[in-house]
Amino acid sequence: MNDFVLAPYGRRSDPFKRLPPELFITIITQVTPPRYPYIDRLLELTLVSRSWQTIILSTPSLWTDLHLDPRDTQDMAMKLHLALHLSKHSALTLHLSSPDVWKAVESLIQAHRARVTNIHINPDYHYSFPAPHRSISRMCPLFDQIGYLPGLKFIRLGISYDYGLNDAFVDALIRFVNHNSHIERLSGAPLVHKFLDLPARKILTNIDTALDLSSVLPFIDSMPAVQTAYFQDKKLLPIKAYHMKERLTPAVPTGLLKWTSFVSSGKLFQPLLPLISKTLVTLKLDICICDLRPLLKSLSNFAVLNEVTLILQLQEDYPTDPVATMLLHCPAQILRIHLQEQSTLSGRLSMGDIQRWYPRFVTDIFSVFSMVQKLSVYTSFRSSLGLEIIPSNELRYLKSLSFNLEPYHTTQSLQFPSTLRTLTIGVNSNNLEGIHSETVEILSLQSRSRTTSKLNLSHWPALCFLDARPGIFSVDWSNDHLHNLQKIRFNGTTTSTWDYTTQFCCDLALYPEAMPCLDSLTFHHEFPELDIVFILLERYNFRKQLGSSRIRQLSLRGPSDLIAPLKKICNGKFTDRPSNHEISWVGNIDMILDASL
């Protein structure tokens, strides 16, 4: 993009001119922020070129999201008027953050009320009011101000109810829903006893509540539109008046539910599982590990379940009954496991307590999730459990694995399934030498600190893409030949890895045959010395070796006047450029040490 924006190369090399307009519009939609300043970003993109301006201004669908922000007091009316004009007759989506915003623009929207089909209400906790609970109170007049919208189909409330509710807010919302009885979908409504008793619950698409599950169960039969359910049994609402009484025996719905996503904490999920087994696609549960086995035994009945997230609270004990009955398999292909330490009456859990039952736990998990293709395992405490949770003989379909290594580890060698192609490791370990794979093609090392050991790339012959911090891996430059390595991305920090990136460039320039197929090099935050970068590109790209590649893509931070020569070298062309002395630290030492700059 830098090459495109800089004249005179931009007008000749615009890659978007070769795209169909529909694809170009899709890209523009993805790069614009979903919230404020959406219109500002669109206006900036119209300045890129005349062709961009023509397409953006003539596409009504790009101007239908109206983000009204109270901070934009001077230009908000102008931007809204422009968007209403350019959107022509398309359906509109309003994003509101306070009643003051609606008062300021109500006269402009009045003539377009019939076009408003979606409303998203998101209180701005950081700018509108000093406290979140005041934000909710101040939002009450907004529902009465909006009034009747003949084309309204969907309303979403992005409101946190953790700070409590009041009668005024609930009553205002109920009046608005009753006034606009033609609404088809309602998301984020507070499930309190007043709302559950209304016919409006029939249009609820999302259940997002801090009410306990047993209080909502009797009403689930009359919520046919619900697809996503989020329950939090911890009762975060401080106003207990909105909590329905606990029932000793929760009423269970009688018919099957069409839920596709279900999130719950606690153990009251069991009554619902048989009712959502036919349609559920995404399941996320925060449960105690002692409740895991009943869940695993029921998951084999879920026909289309694809993604499972288990947040497991560890305890001292785990069931010891035989696991031979757990032979059925869950069809889920994506599994995320987060192991959390739970304090006991006697203090924190010891690793000895966990390791006594840990093998049984691993057997249970992967005897059920044997078909998983993407696995993530993370612990919130320091342990060596991450080393033992990957049974290579069980996971015959595993393609992607992500897990964290903590400081306390043995030196045992990790064995990965032969089907594994993508590996992501949260590295905080000093024993990287024991990690290797013959089949992994994409390796990402998410390092947060320096380590004393290094990953030996000679043990990764199939590696095609490496994402790591400089200095965390080693290469035997005179002997190693990484014939498959095509892309390297350095993800370190500017202060700790600049010396490693410069040294890497020096080594690769001296031994280009060690990575003959490398064609992409990205320095995310690092600043390698630019004279060494030019030497690397010239030696690597202009070498005469049969079957060798050249570095076609280079991403790094540097002066804009070096873009043109770097681009030509990446394209395999000789070019005039500044001397190595001019762009080196030595050649610019006076400027670097000048305190007045």
Side-chain angles (χ1 to χ4, degrees):
M1 184 59 67
N2 290 334
D3 297 345
F4 167 65
V5 173
L6 293 174
Y9 305 98
R11 194 171 294 109
R12 294 200 307 264
S13 60
D14 185 356
F16 291 97
K17 286 186 177 180
R18 299 190 293 268
L19 297 177
E22 296 81 3
L23 182 56
F24 174 80
I25 294 171
T26 302
I27 296 175
I28 294 298
T29 305
Q30 294 297 322
V31 300
T32 47
R35 297 189 64 185
Y36 173 85
Y38 178 83
I39 296 179
D40 300 65
R41 182 59 172 164
L42 285 177
L43 293 175
E44 290 177 1
L45 293 176
T46 61
L47 302 178
V48 173
S49 69
R50 185 174 300 174
S51 61
W52 282 44
Q53 184 182 82
T54 301
I55 295 177
I56 293 175
L57 295 181
S58 61
T59 305
S61 61
L62 290 176
W63 302 90
T64 56
D65 273 7
L66 307 181
H67 295 260
L68 309 180
D69 194 277
R71 293 165 286 176
D72 197 8
T73 55
Q74 296 181 350
D75 300 328
M76 182 171 60
M78 180 272 295
K79 295 173 185 175
L80 177 61
H81 182 78
L82 176 64
L84 290 172
H85 173 71
L86 294 177
S87 62
K88 300 186 183 300
H89 302 290
S90 301
L92 300 176
T93 298
L94 295 183
H95 299 260
L96 304 174
S97 57
S98 73
D100 299 334
V101 174
W102 179 261
K103 289 181 181 179
V105 302
E106 184 177 7
S107 58
L108 291 175
I109 298 180
Q110 189 65 33
H112 304 273
R113 295 177 69 92
R115 290 204 286 142
V116 178
T117 58
N118 300 334
I119 291 183
H120 295 181
I121 298 178
N122 298 283
D124 197 331
Y125 298 135
H126 301 289
Y127 297 96
S128 299
F129 314 104
H133 68 275
R134 291 184 57 190
S135 297
I136 296 178
S137 301
R138 290 286 301 273
M139 294 300 291
C140 298
L142 179 61
F143 298 107
D144 294 328
Q145 293 172 7
I146 296 176
Y148 179 73
L149 297 173
L152 186 61
K153 296 181 180 180
F154 174 56
I155 179 170
R156 182 177 68 83
L157 304 176
I159 298 176
S160 172
Y161 304 112
D162 296 350
Y163 299 93
L165 294 172
N166 53 43
D167 289 326
F169 179 85
V170 177
D171 293 340
L173 176 60
I174 290 175
R175 286 195 304 270
F176 180 79
V177 173
N178 289 335
H179 196 191
N180 295 272
S181 57
H182 53 280
I183 295 177
E184 298 176 1
R185 296 175 58 201
L186 178 60
S187 175
L191 284 185
V192 297
H193 66 285
K194 290 183 178 181
F195 211 91
L196 287 174
D197 291 332
L198 290 177
R201 66 177 182 266
K202 296 181 179 179
I203 62 175
L204 285 172
T205 58
N206 290 21
I207 296 178
D208 190 346
T209 178
L211 287 179
D212 57 277
L213 182 57
S214 61
S215 298
V216 182
L217 277 177
F219 301 91
I220 287 180
D221 269 334
S222 57
M223 299 179 183
V226 171
Q227 293 183 347
T228 301
Y230 180 89
F231 290 95
Q232 216 165 13
D233 299 328
K234 299 178 181 178
K235 294 187 177 181
L236 296 180
L237 291 181
I239 303 178
K240 295 184 178 181
Y242 290 103
H243 284 181
M244 301 187 68
K245 292 184 178 180
E246 286 279 342
R247 292 173 171 80
L248 296 177
T249 306
V252 179
T254 57
L256 295 178
L257 305 176
K258 298 180 180 180
W259 294 4
T260 59
S261 179
F262 178 54
V263 180
S264 176
S265 59
K267 57 183 179 180
L268 291 178
F269 59 89
Q270 288 290 349
L272 278 177
L273 291 183
L275 305 179
I276 58 181
S277 61
K278 302 299 181 184
T279 58
L280 196 68
V281 177
T282 303
L283 175 65
K284 181 178 180 180
L285 295 177
D286 185 347
I287 60 175
C288 176
I289 198 168
C290 61
D291 299 320
L292 178 62
R293 278 196 172 175
L295 169 67
L296 295 179
K297 292 178 181 180
S298 62
L299 287 182
S300 58
N301 298 321
F302 286 67
V304 295
L305 186 60
N306 182 65
E307 183 176 341
V308 177
T309 301
L310 299 177
I311 304 175
L312 302 176
Q313 307 296 333
L314 302 186
Q315 289 188 342
E316 294 179 354
D317 298 322
Y318 185 74
T320 58
D321 56 295
V323 297
T325 58
M326 300 175 59
L327 298 178
L328 299 178
H329 302 289
C330 175
Q333 298 183 359
I334 302 175
L335 174 62
R336 300 182 182 93
I337 301 175
H338 189 187
L339 304 177
Q340 292 187 341
E341 186 178 17
Q342 192 175 40
S343 298
T344 62
L345 295 177
S346 59
R348 301 185 65 181
L349 289 174
S350 67
M351 286 307 303
D353 295 332
I354 298 177
Q355 289 175 346
R356 281 199 306 268
W357 52 257
Y358 195 73
R360 298 197 304 272
F361 162 74
V362 172
T363 302
D364 288 356
I365 284 284
F366 294 109
S367 63
V368 175
F369 292 100
S370 60
M371 301 178 65
V372 66
Q373 297 184 15
K374 185 176 181 180
L375 173 64
S376 300
V377 182
Y378 285 90
T379 61
S380 59
F381 53 93
R382 294 180 174 181
S383 72
S384 61
L385 299 183
L387 290 173
E388 304 166 3
I389 200 167
I390 303 101
S392 57
N393 56 338
E394 295 284 349
L395 303 177
R396 295 174 295 176
Y397 304 98
L398 188 64
K399 296 181 180 178
S400 176
L401 172 63
S402 176
F403 71 111
N404 63 333
L405 288 173
E406 293 297 338
Y408 305 107
H409 287 295
T410 62
T411 57
Q412 67 184 43
S413 177
L414 280 177
Q415 299 294 329
F416 298 112
S418 59
T419 57
L420 191 65
R421 296 294 180 268
T422 302
L423 177 62
T424 301
I425 305 176
V427 177
N428 195 18
S429 170
N430 291 326
N431 293 291
L432 296 179
E433 296 90 345
I435 306 175
H436 59 85
S437 172
E438 300 287 332
T439 60
V440 168
E441 299 175 356
I442 301 175
L443 176 62
S444 179
L445 303 176
Q446 305 298 329
S447 176
R448 301 186 298 272
S449 59
R450 289 180 179 267
T451 60
T452 57
S453 66
K454 294 185 178 182
L455 193 79
N456 192 341
L457 291 187
S458 61
H459 297 158
W460 303 79
L463 193 62
C464 297
F465 174 61
L466 175 64
D467 182 10
R469 195 188 70 182
I472 205 171
F473 60 87
S474 64
V475 180
D476 186 353
W477 293 99
S478 59
N479 296 321
D480 287 351
H481 295 283
L482 302 171
H483 294 284
N484 295 311
L485 188 58
Q486 301 175 11
K487 297 182 180 181
I488 296 180
R489 179 181 182 271
F490 294 115
N491 57 28
T493 59
T494 57
T495 58
S496 61
T497 60
W498 65 268
D499 51 342
Y500 286 112
T501 55
T502 300
Q503 184 61 48
F504 174 84
C505 292
C506 290
D507 293 335
L508 185 57
L510 292 173
Y511 303 98
E513 64 278 358
M515 301 179 183
C517 296
L518 187 66
D519 63 5
S520 178
L521 195 56
T522 300
F523 301 95
H524 188 60
H525 285 300
E526 302 80 359
F527 290 86
E529 298 182 33
L530 293 176
D531 55 332
I532 304 299
V533 172
F534 271 98
I535 295 174
L536 162 64
L537 289 178
E538 291 171 342
R539 285 183 58 87
Y540 194 92
N541 286 4
F542 299 146
R543 72 190 191 281
K544 295 181 179 180
Q545 183 176 347
L546 184 62
S548 61
S549 178
R550 69 169 185 268
I551 299 177
R552 294 179 172 85
Q553 297 180 5
L554 176 68
S555 177
L556 80 164
R557 300 182 181 185
S560 58
D561 55 351
L562 296 181
I563 291 179
L566 286 173
K567 181 179 178 181
K568 287 187 177 181
I569 297 176
C570 288
N571 290 332
K573 301 177 181 178
F574 291 95
T575 182
D576 294 331
R577 66 171 182 86
S579 66
N580 292 334
H581 180 76
E582 291 180 65
I583 57 179
S584 67
W585 283 32
V586 175
N588 294 273
I589 193 64
D590 294 336
M591 181 179 64
I592 295 174
L593 299 178
D594 191 346
S596 64
L597 295 179

